[in-house]
Amino acid sequence: MAFKPLLASATALALLSTPALADCPIKVGVLHSLSGSMAISETTLRDVMLMLVEQQNAAGGLLGCQIEAVVVDPASDWPLFAERARELLTVSEVDVIFGAWTSVSRKSVLPVLEELNGLMFYPVQYEGQESSRNVFYTGAAPNQQAIPAVDYFLEELGVTSFALLGTDYVYPRTTNAILEAYLLSKGIAPENIFVNYTPFGHSDWSTIVSDVVALGAGGEQVGVISTINGDANIGFYTELAAQGVSADDIPVVAFSVGEEELSGLDTSRLVGHLAAWNYFMSADTPENEAFIEAWHAFIGDTARPTNDPMEAHYIGFNMWVNAVTEAGTTDVDAVRAAMWGQEFPNLTGGTSVMLPNHHLAKPVLIGEIRADGQFDIISQTTEVPGEAWTPFLTESATLTSDWATLGCGMYDTATSTCVQLTSNY
């Protein structure tokens, strides 16, 4: 498949004539669900990784080697993520893994990564409350998505009653615990915070949507904070439309719905609902234009959208390439040290920076759904440093992460001690 190269570093281009400095080929593991309930979101991430690998090979490869993508399908089965990660590291002997979507899949992989000293780049927004030595989190932490979205509801839309609707697993539950504490600190009464969880693939939304509508019976302005994941979103948005709920009545801001998910919906009745991400396809920059052009050429389909986790993989992969180039090796410990402070241009403008807590500093965007399934960007910040630990929960208020200086991902500033090094928090 043809493509147009994007931002190739001078170092990478110079490698065209550089002798091999590593065992060839350099192997990149791709750990994304290609079947099951999460395939709707994760298949595109497999595809963009194949594009990025092809681009880098065309630009001269890495350390004098070509890169080989090793793709596995954990099939939306959380224990299988751990098995496939172990297979990638011990059988395929990959140098790095790019993968996972849900937090339960990431947490399934963590013990394997830490046992075998593997390295993984995780590209999706998540609940925070974690900082592994072996993971770089290129998606949004709560302070880069959930908190700004709630602030938008409070300050711009006058929402006074909140429905926190999520899929029943760790990301929605932890995120909503943070948001409940945050809303209470903002003066929202406990009785005006409604929380509900549904299983993966949930399809019968009639009662839940009716309950949400009933929250406004007393004249309160209701807003929905959605941490619903996967194909359950189709049923949720369909039921909203079926009950005649518009964004003017009850706005929804979603954290796991982007262009890819909307492509399977009739978006004409969802106009005005919102999403919070760090990237939207509609961003008007030369970098984004080039990325979209390359994606469409690679995939052979101009209707295939781009989305936020794709940009996260784009940033993470290019930072990894540059860190490997600086380190002169794919050795995990050397690459990890070279990752701290890495910078790479965002597709929405500005520059992402990798922090010592293994999270990025990057902008926060609020988008409004258009009838064509794209988003109008109605709010964009400068780069916000991602926080591994939220100050809004008592158990993490004094915690920080600093792998570069403190060598610890869970450092208690109150006692000046490293609580623990592994991620079984």
Side-chain angles (χ1 to χ4, degrees):
M1 287 177 281
F3 67 91
K4 177 180 178 180
L6 297 177
L7 299 171
S9 66
T11 351
L13 292 173
L15 293 173
L16 286 166
S17 57
T18 302
L21 300 174
D23 291 335
C24 298
I26 290 174
K27 295 183 179 181
V28 170
V30 181
L31 183 68
H32 282 301
S33 295
L34 310 179
S35 56
S37 65
M38 292 308 301
I40 185 177
S41 297
E42 294 193 67
T43 300
T44 286
L45 297 188
R46 182 275 312 269
D47 294 341
V48 80
M49 284 305 305
L50 294 178
M51 181 185 83
L52 293 169
V53 167
E54 184 175 302
Q55 288 176 335
Q56 190 61 38
N57 283 336
L62 184 59
L63 300 185
C65 296
Q66 289 285 283
I67 303 173
E68 176 187 333
V70 182
V71 178
V72 295
D73 178 16
S76 305
D77 182 310
W78 319 136
L80 196 56
F81 268 85
E83 292 180 29
R84 292 290 179 262
R86 186 175 294 277
E87 174 187 313
L88 285 171
L89 292 170
T90 61
V91 178
S92 300
E93 297 184 329
V94 300
D95 297 285
V96 65
I97 295 173
F98 290 81
W101 181 290
T102 66
S103 284
V104 66
S105 64
R106 185 193 70 256
K107 286 185 178 293
S108 178
V109 172
L110 278 176
V112 177
L113 294 170
E114 293 176 346
E115 173 196 344
L116 300 174
N117 196 30
L119 188 65
M120 186 172 83
F121 284 74
Y122 176 67
V124 184
Q125 88 294 342
Y126 86 120
E127 70 281 0
Q129 306 304 88
E130 180 182 301
S131 180
S132 172
R133 180 198 301 273
N134 296 85
V135 177
F136 285 97
Y137 306 81
T138 54
N143 73 303
Q144 296 172 304
Q145 186 188 38
I147 297 294
V150 166
D151 284 340
Y152 187 85
F153 266 24
L154 290 169
E155 298 165 9
E156 301 297 329
L157 301 184
V159 173
T160 54
S161 187
F162 287 78
L164 310 183
L165 306 183
T167 302
D168 193 6
Y169 74 106
V170 63
Y171 161 62
R173 284 190 173 274
T174 306
T175 298
N176 287 338
I178 293 168
L179 292 182
E180 281 189 83
Y182 185 70
L183 287 169
L184 292 172
S185 76
K186 290 292 185 178
I188 300 297
E191 59 270 22
N192 288 344
I193 305 173
F194 168 70
V195 184
N196 185 268
Y197 298 102
T198 46
F200 281 95
H202 186 72
S203 58
D204 183 3
W205 289 93
S206 57
T207 300
I208 296 169
V209 170
S210 296
D211 289 343
V212 171
V213 171
L215 292 174
E220 298 280 354
Q221 174 60 62
V222 180
V224 175
I225 306 291
S226 171
T227 48
I228 300 164
N229 257 262
D231 52 13
N233 279 293
I234 296 173
F236 172 60
Y237 282 101
T238 300
E239 184 62 30
L240 282 176
Q243 295 196 26
V245 178
S246 72
D248 291 333
D249 303 322
I250 300 176
V252 177
V253 62
F255 302 158
S256 296
V257 172
E259 294 84 350
E260 185 74 10
E261 290 75 20
L262 289 179
S263 66
L265 297 172
D266 175 8
T267 54
S268 63
R269 295 181 293 178
L270 301 183
V271 171
H273 287 301
L274 308 171
W277 291 100
N278 306 116
Y279 166 87
F280 288 108
M281 185 176 181
S282 54
D284 185 14
T285 67
E287 293 85 358
N288 192 40
E289 181 181 356
F291 181 76
I292 294 169
E293 182 180 346
W295 168 244
H296 285 162
F298 176 84
I299 210 68
D301 182 359
T302 57
R304 282 283 295 274
T306 57
N307 62 23
D308 179 281
M310 291 172 68
E311 189 212 26
H313 263 342
Y314 164 77
I315 292 170
F317 179 79
N318 280 287
M319 283 187 171
W320 174 77
V321 165
N322 290 339
V324 168
T325 302
E326 288 181 20
T329 176
T330 57
D331 175 76
V332 167
D333 293 329
V335 172
R336 180 190 300 113
M339 277 293 300
W340 303 321
Q342 282 291 335
E343 298 184 1
F344 201 79
N346 301 306
L347 294 175
T348 58
T351 302
S352 280
V353 182
M354 183 57 71
L355 306 173
N357 64 6
H358 287 199
H359 292 67
L360 289 174
K362 56 183 187 173
V364 182
L365 284 67
I366 306 289
E368 186 175 277
I369 297 174
R370 304 191 316 222
D372 64 356
Q374 290 293 319
F375 292 86
D376 282 328
I377 298 170
I378 57 177
S379 174
Q380 180 168 345
T381 70
T382 56
E383 286 76 8
V384 176
E387 294 177 349
W389 303 99
T390 183
F392 297 109
L393 296 179
T394 303
E395 60 267 29
S396 60
T398 60
L399 297 180
T400 191
S401 167
D402 185 340
W403 290 105
T405 304
L406 300 175
C408 182
M410 193 180 191
Y411 187 85
D412 192 336
T413 58
T415 60
S416 298
T417 57
C418 183
V419 179
Q420 62 188 59
L421 288 170
T422 55
S423 297
N424 57 334
Y425 303 132

